[in-house]
Amino acid sequence: MNAPVRVFILDDHEVVRRGLRDLLETEPDLVVAGEAATAAEALVRVPAVNPDVAVLDVRLGQDGDRDGVEVCRELRARMPALACLMLTSFDDDEALFDAIMAGAAGYVLKQVRGPDLVSAVRTVAAGQSLMAPRLVSRAMKRLTGPPGEPAGGAGTLERLSPREVDILELIGEGLTNRQIAARLYLSEKTVKNRVSAILTKLGVRRRVQAALLTARLPGGRTPGQE
C-alpha cells in the first residue's frame, strides 16, 4: 500500500483547524502531520514534519506582515516539492494572483464542501493544479488593466530611489521581505517600511501589482535620489 498523504494545516482559528483535522483524518489515505495558528509557527513546524501538502489560510489575523501567501512563498523556496493549497473565505482576484505568484498549487474557498476539499488535497498531492484557467485569466485582467496601461495607479517608477528600485526588482523575483533583507543586508523592518513606501509611490495596494511593474524597469535605469 502507498503511504498516506501527509497534510499540514495553518489557520488562526482553532475551530477551523480542528474541523479540518477531523475531516481529513476520516480518510484512510490522509493523515494530519501537524498544524499551526501563526505564520511563524508554520515556518518552523512545516520543515520539521515534512508534509506532502500544506493547507494554508490566506488571511491570518494579527501576524505581523505575513499572511498565508507569504508563508507559501517562503515554504516553496525551502521545499520545492511541497504542494500548497490556499484556503480563504473571500473570492479575491488579487489574493488569487498573489497565490499563483507564490507557487501555490490550488486555491479553494472555505465554503467548499467537505468531500470537495478532500478531493482538492488529493489533487495537489498528486502534482496537479487546482488553479482554474478562468479564475487565473480573470485575476490577470483585473490586475494588469486594459492593454497599454500599467498595473496599478498613477505612480511612476521614476519616483523611486535607487534602493527602492533594488527592492522592487527583488519583489519581482518573488522574494519575501526576510529574503530581501538578507540579500541587501538590511533589517526586515526596514524592508517592510521600504515596501510600503514603494507601493505608495507606485499607486498600488499589493506587492504583486508592484511586481508586475518590474517589466517596465529599463536596463540602464535612472531612478530618483535617496
Side-chain angles (χ1 to χ4, degrees), residues 70-219:
E70 285 286 315
V71 172
C72 173
R73 186 178 291 113
E74 290 200 31
L75 289 177
R76 291 276 300 159
R78 300 185 207 174
M79 307 167 65
L82 177 68
C84 292
L85 180 63
M86 311 308 297
L87 192 62
T88 180
S89 301
F90 307 97
D91 187 6
D92 182 342
D93 289 343
E94 293 178 3
L96 169 60
F97 193 78
D98 282 351
I100 295 168
M101 294 288 286
Y107 185 96
V108 296
L109 296 176
K110 285 186 177 179
Q111 294 89 329
V112 67
R113 295 173 57 251
D116 292 334
L117 179 60
V118 170
S119 177
V121 170
R122 291 183 178 129
T123 296
V124 298
Q128 300 175 43
S129 173
L130 266 177
M131 296 294 187
R134 176 181 58 83
L135 293 179
V136 174
S137 176
R138 188 183 77 187
M140 288 287 288
K141 287 179 180 178
R142 177 168 173 179
L143 286 173
T144 58
E149 292 187 10
T156 63
L157 293 168
E158 289 72 22
R159 299 180 62 190
L160 302 184
S161 70
R163 178 58 87 189
E164 288 169 343
V165 172
D166 291 338
I167 292 173
L168 178 60
E169 289 180 331
L170 296 177
I171 290 174
E173 292 179 20
L175 272 64
T176 64
N177 286 353
R178 177 173 295 182
Q179 291 168 329
I180 293 172
R183 181 78 66 89
L184 298 180
Y185 303 102
L186 299 171
S187 72
E188 190 172 353
K189 182 177 180 180
T190 295
V191 172
K192 179 182 177 181
N193 291 337
R194 291 276 191 160
V195 170
S196 295
I198 289 169
L199 298 185
T200 299
K201 289 182 178 182
L202 294 180
V204 298
R205 291 184 300 146
R206 301 176 72 88
R207 63 192 290 141
V208 68
Q209 293 172 297
L212 291 172
L213 291 173
T214 58
R216 299 174 58 222
L217 285 171

